[in-house]
Amino acid sequence: MSTTTPTAPPAPAGAPKVSLFHPTVARLTHRALLGRRRALILFALPALLVVIAVAVRVLTGADDSTAGGILGGFALGTMVPLIGVIAGTGAIGPEIDDGSVVYLLAKPVPRPTIILTKLLVAIGVTVAFSAVPVLLAGFLLNGNSQQIAVGYAVAAAVASVAYSALFLLFGTITRHAVVFGLVYALVWESLVGTFVPGAKTLSIQQWALAVGQKAAAEGAIISDVQLPLAIGLLVALTVAATWYAGRRLKALTLAGEE
């Protein structure tokens, strides 16, 4: 007499598990960001910074004030937000513009996973093309005297996270994300957020400088925002922008299904 052990019925297929990273989405995003035109711009800006640093060092020698002016003015004030615009909007904006995002959304990948993966890739690209060149330029300018190179590199890395989240959000809410990003980067950050006292509190650049100020020697880097407030605002912006980008992508999916 033989007995058989009953087997449990297969578990019903549920919703796909939400994770922080999806390799296929990451590979596609990385390929899109480092396409021919974007790659040229991404390489051109850091190369220009390094050339300026070499020229200044050769012509004027090592000077802390000059190094701070170049790293704070051109690098953190202009180069980093521009790279953030390219990486943040480019991570998803072109896919929405040409409609190819529909094929991505048809895959069994949770929408939050898509956004988080694209954000991580955008952050990685922005840090690589901004924080690393800033560190190199700082060493070329003054040999990291007063930890200026390290301080501004830390500020660039921190700013890269917030810029990537903000500009990724722009890519999900408007087809003119690059225009909005450029307006924010060149008008708000470079002009309003630098020279208007009240607006400095709402500047990613100033928040990042507060973190960089802690990494550099005392008095080497100055920020108009206190460190606790800066960290809180950086975290709040990054989380809120990422969450809302996920909501917008989910709404886009529903619209496409209708």
Side-chain angles (χ1 to χ4, degrees):
M1 179 177 180
S2 61
T3 59
T4 58
T5 304
T7 58
K17 182 180 179 181
V18 177
S19 60
L20 297 178
F21 189 81
H22 192 278
T24 302
V25 175
R27 184 172 63 254
L28 294 174
T29 306
H30 184 269
R31 186 184 304 168
L33 287 180
L34 295 182
R36 185 173 300 174
R37 280 192 304 175
R38 287 192 180 86
L40 287 175
I41 301 175
L42 287 172
F43 279 104
L45 290 170
L48 178 60
L49 174 63
V50 172
V51 170
I52 292 174
V54 171
V56 170
R57 180 63 182 267
V58 170
L59 295 175
T60 66
D63 181 75
D64 294 349
S65 177
T66 301
I70 293 174
L71 296 179
F74 173 70
L76 193 63
T78 302
M79 186 191 79
V80 178
L82 284 179
I83 292 176
V85 170
I86 297 169
T89 61
I92 196 169
E95 291 177 302
I96 295 178
D97 291 341
D98 62 21
S100 61
V101 71
V102 174
Y103 300 101
L104 177 61
L105 298 178
K107 303 297 182 182
V109 182
R111 306 303 174 251
T113 298
I114 295 175
I115 289 296
L116 287 171
T117 301
K118 288 182 173 293
L119 175 61
L120 290 173
V121 174
I123 290 172
V125 170
T126 308
V127 170
F129 285 92
S130 59
V132 175
V134 165
L135 182 65
L136 175 59
F139 273 95
L140 290 172
L141 285 165
N142 73 341
N144 196 35
S145 173
Q146 298 192 73
Q147 297 291 306
I148 287 179
V150 172
Y152 277 107
V154 169
V158 169
S160 296
V161 178
Y163 284 135
S164 297
L166 178 63
F167 297 137
L168 179 66
L169 171 62
F170 285 177
T172 63
I173 63 178
T174 176
R175 291 182 177 272
H176 307 290
V178 174
V179 175
F180 278 87
L182 289 175
V183 169
Y184 179 87
L186 298 179
V187 177
W188 183 265
E189 290 284 31
S190 299
L191 295 176
V192 180
T194 300
F195 300 108
V196 179
K200 292 181 178 181
T201 307
L202 299 177
S203 168
I204 293 176
Q205 179 184 346
Q206 291 297 323
W207 305 344
L209 282 172
V211 181
Q213 181 179 22
K214 189 69 175 178
E218 185 175 356
I221 298 177
I222 302 299
S223 172
D224 292 283
V225 182
Q226 296 298 315
L227 182 61
L229 177 61
I231 293 176
L233 291 172
L234 283 166
V235 172
L237 173 64
T238 302
V239 172
T242 305
W243 172 80
Y244 193 63
R247 296 270 298 182
R248 291 290 302 181
L249 193 62
K250 190 174 296 186
L252 179 66
T253 305
L254 294 176
E257 290 173 350
E258 291 173 356

